[in-house]
Amino acid sequence: MTIIQDAIQELETIPYRGVKPKDFEEFWLESLRRDAQTKARLELEAIAYPLSKVEVFSATVLSGDRTKLKGYYMRPRAIDPQEALPGLVRFHGYSGNRGQLSELLLWALQGYAVLALDVRGQCGETPDTRVYPSGAFSGWLTLGLESPHTHYLRQVYLDGVRAVEALANQPEVDEKRIGCMGKSQGGGLAVIAGGVINALGQEVNLKGGVKAVSAAMPFLADFRSSYQLQKGGPLEELAWYFQLHDPEHQREEGIFTTLDYFDGVHFAPWLGKKTACLVSMGLKDTVCPPATVYWLYKGICGEKKLLIYPEYGHESPDGFVDRQIEFFAKELL
């Protein structure tokens, strides 16, 4: 038995500890219905760029709560009006931002229209305009823990859906050939945004859908297990929150019940059987423990591939980008 085979066998013995709320679908359908009352559109402002083969824009999407989500949009310059472009939405990692234009160039030169937006309130230009019912520990995961209706991630997930829909509404983009990608927080958001729009989008007359997802070491899965297994990741914020606000863990069950509404494992089946997924994990990852990534992967019901890197932690080998290129070319080009 190889190291990877042995690891999979061990992962199969680790129980999933999340609990899917009974009103999970109702909660997200109502949230999406409220958020989708205005059409998602890209507001674009051209940016000078030294390469003639691409067009580069500063992009803004107005969220459902009227927050201006800032980012970049890049597309091939030579567009055949008879042939729409495949689209990609790139989600960034926790405490990051939209990234650099050079990171989008790789995809635009292959023929994709690419959108990358800041996650609200994190380290980009996009603010978080919401007011929360109580204080929180440094970071974002403990904002609004009192209820799924007030938690920070509720609007973040809806913003992710809005990014996909805004891209689908671009006239040069083929709404039937859209992919999502990201790593860590971004990998989780790629799965979650794709799941919500695929499962519930038609209920609120959304145009978009996600055909392919690449999720590298995805975060936001099985919060209960993640909290116990992680070291040095974003869930350290929750440890400090307990230490300062609830040292006897009297509110523990209520807190994790709130987080169950945002568990990526519950969203993974919503991608559907027609959406292909490429997932990766490092066996030495202490930020997104392998067991949590594995449970998210198991929830995906379409064509899927899990890349396991025994010597890697919370990072991917250089060759992973080549696997992404191959994956999206097969599914979208």
Side-chain angles (χ1 to χ4, degrees), residues 81-270:
Q82 303 301 317
E83 184 176 353
L85 298 171
L88 288 174
V89 179
R90 180 180 180 272
F91 295 101
H92 66 74
Y94 193 77
S95 76
N97 56 40
R98 74 193 75 173
Q100 303 300 314
L101 288 172
S102 57
E103 297 173 284
L104 305 185
L105 183 63
L106 168 69
W107 302 101
L109 289 176
Q110 295 175 60
Y112 300 96
V114 195
L115 175 65
L117 299 176
D118 298 331
V119 173
R120 62 171 57 220
Q122 296 187 18
C123 295
E125 295 180 23
T126 301
D128 182 9
T129 58
R130 299 182 67 201
V131 177
Y132 296 92
S134 65
F137 187 74
S138 176
W140 302 274
L141 287 182
T142 60
L143 288 169
L145 271 175
E146 292 78 6
S147 163
H149 294 278
T150 60
H151 194 268
Y152 168 78
L153 288 176
R154 175 181 174 275
Q155 195 61 50
V156 169
Y157 289 6
L158 294 172
D159 292 347
V161 174
R162 204 159 182 83
V164 175
E165 180 68 3
L167 183 62
N169 285 327
Q170 279 296 109
E172 71 272 17
V173 173
D174 182 352
E175 72 271 16
K176 295 182 179 179
R177 290 190 295 154
I178 290 179
C180 292
M181 61 179 173
K183 61 182 179 180
S184 196
Q185 173 186 256
L189 290 177
V191 171
I192 291 161
V196 172
I197 202 166
N198 283 4
L200 305 179
Q202 291 187 350
E203 297 281 345
V204 294
N205 299 314
L206 296 186
K207 181 180 182 181
V210 173
K211 188 174 184 290
V213 170
S214 171
M217 49 209 175
F219 179 45
L220 306 168
D222 192 355
F223 288 102
R224 298 167 192 258
S225 294
S226 289
Y227 179 71
Q228 291 189 321
L229 297 172
Q230 64 82 34
K231 293 180 181 178
L235 284 174
E236 289 285 342
E237 297 170 19
L238 189 55
W240 278 103
Y241 185 88
F242 276 124
Q243 184 174 344
L244 295 172
H245 294 281
D246 185 22
E248 296 181 5
H249 280 231
Q250 294 179 0
R251 294 180 51 218
E252 177 183 322
E253 186 56 33
I255 286 172
F256 281 109
T257 295
T258 291
L259 292 174
D260 280 332
Y261 284 86
F262 306 101
D263 186 342
V265 175
H266 304 324
F267 294 91
W270 280 7

Side-chain angles (χ1 to χ4, degrees), residues 38-50:
T38 57
K39 188 173 182 179
R41 298 181 184 276
L42 288 180
E43 298 177 14
L44 301 176
E45 183 177 343
I47 297 174
Y49 200 68

Side-chain angles (χ1 to χ4, degrees), residues 213-216 276-280 297 300 303-307 320 323-325 327:
V213 170
S214 171
C277 295
L278 177 68
V279 180
S280 72
Y297 173 77
I300 297 167
E303 181 181 347
K304 58 186 178 180
K305 174 71 174 178
L306 178 63
L307 301 177
F320 179 69
R323 301 299 293 269
Q324 283 183 303
I325 291 171
F327 169 72

